[in-house]
C-alpha cells in the first residue's frame, strides 16, 4: 500500500473552501465529509481535510493562527509552467489570493504561491529534473 498524506486545515466556513478546492481540481469524498469536516481528494495519495474550527479543536488545543500568517507552505507539483499559472489564476478567481510571494523562475523550476480562503499557503511549481544544475539545494 502506498503511503498517503492527509493535510488537515482549520477553516472558518466549510462550504467556501470546499468550492475553492473543487475549482483547483480536488474532488470531495463524501464518506469522510459531514457538517464539521470535508475530505478533498487530489490523488490516491493526497487528501486535504477541511475542518471547522470546532472540529479542529477536538484534535489540538494549540491556537488557530490568523489567516494573514503562515506556519507552513505546502508545495504541489504541476505538469507545466502553464499549469502553475492556471492554478494561480483559478485560486484568485475562486476566493483565494494569487501571488502572495514573488514568482520564482530558476529556469529548471518555476513556482507561484497562493493562499486559500482561510490563508493557508500553497506553492504550485513545475520542475524539469533533467535541467537541474549540480549542487542545487
Amino acid at each position: 500500500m502506498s503511503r498517503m498524506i492527509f493535510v488537515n486545515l482549520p477553516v472558518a466556513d466549510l462550504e467556501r473552501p470546499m468550492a475553492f478546492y473543487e475549482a483547483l481540481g480536488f474532488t470531495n469524498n463524501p464518506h469522510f465529509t459531514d457538517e464539521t469536516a470535508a475530505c478533498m481528494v487530489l490523488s490516491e495519495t493526497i487528501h486535504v481535510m477541511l475542518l471547522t474550527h470546532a472540529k479542529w479543536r477536538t484534535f489540538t488545543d494549540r491556537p488557530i493562527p490568523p489567516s494573514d500568517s503562515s506556519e507552513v507552505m505546502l508545495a504541489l507539483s504541476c505538469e507545466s509552467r502553464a499549469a502553475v499559472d492556471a492554478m494561480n489564476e483559478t485560486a484568485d478567481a475562486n476566493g483565494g489570493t494569487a501571488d502572495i510571494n514573488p514568482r520564482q523562475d530558476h529556469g529548471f523550476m518555476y513556482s507561484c504561491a497562493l493562499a486559500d480562503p482561510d490563508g493557508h499557503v500553497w506553492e504550485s511549481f513545475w520542475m524539469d529534473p533533467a535541467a537541474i544544475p549540480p549542487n542545487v539545494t
Side-chain angles (χ1 to χ4, degrees):
M1 180 176 166
S2 296
R3 294 186 74 177
M4 302 168 69
I5 184 166
F6 286 80
V7 176
N8 297 292
L9 301 174
V11 299
D13 168 25
L14 194 56
E15 290 182 25
R16 184 172 174 209
M18 283 180 70
F20 174 83
Y21 284 97
E22 284 175 355
L24 291 182
F26 290 69
T27 58
N28 178 254
N29 179 341
H31 187 74
F32 296 108
T33 299
D34 62 19
E35 66 279 351
T36 66
C39 180
M40 305 303 293
V41 180
L42 183 62
S43 71
E44 289 182 15
T45 58
I46 302 170
H47 301 73
V48 173
M49 291 297 302
L50 304 172
L51 307 170
T52 62
H53 288 188
K55 181 74 164 189
W56 176 267
R57 288 185 182 102
T58 67
F59 293 101
T60 182
D61 291 333
R62 295 179 61 117
I64 296 170
S67 63
D68 62 349
S69 68
S70 300
E71 187 174 299
V72 299
M73 180 184 300
L74 305 164
L76 189 59
S77 66
C78 295
E79 62 219 19
S80 66
R81 288 173 177 261
V84 169
D85 291 337
M87 180 176 283
N88 202 42
E89 292 163 11
T90 300
D92 198 47
N94 288 278
T97 305
D99 295 318
I100 62 167
N101 297 320
R103 291 179 187 224
Q104 300 287 314
D105 190 346
H106 301 285
F108 69 94
M109 185 170 68
Y110 174 71
S111 65
C112 296
L114 57 97
D116 75 5
D118 290 275
H120 304 294
V121 179
W122 290 84
E123 180 181 56
S124 55
F125 74 94
W126 165 85
M127 182 171 50
D128 178 2
I132 299 172
N135 301 320
V136 173
T137 57

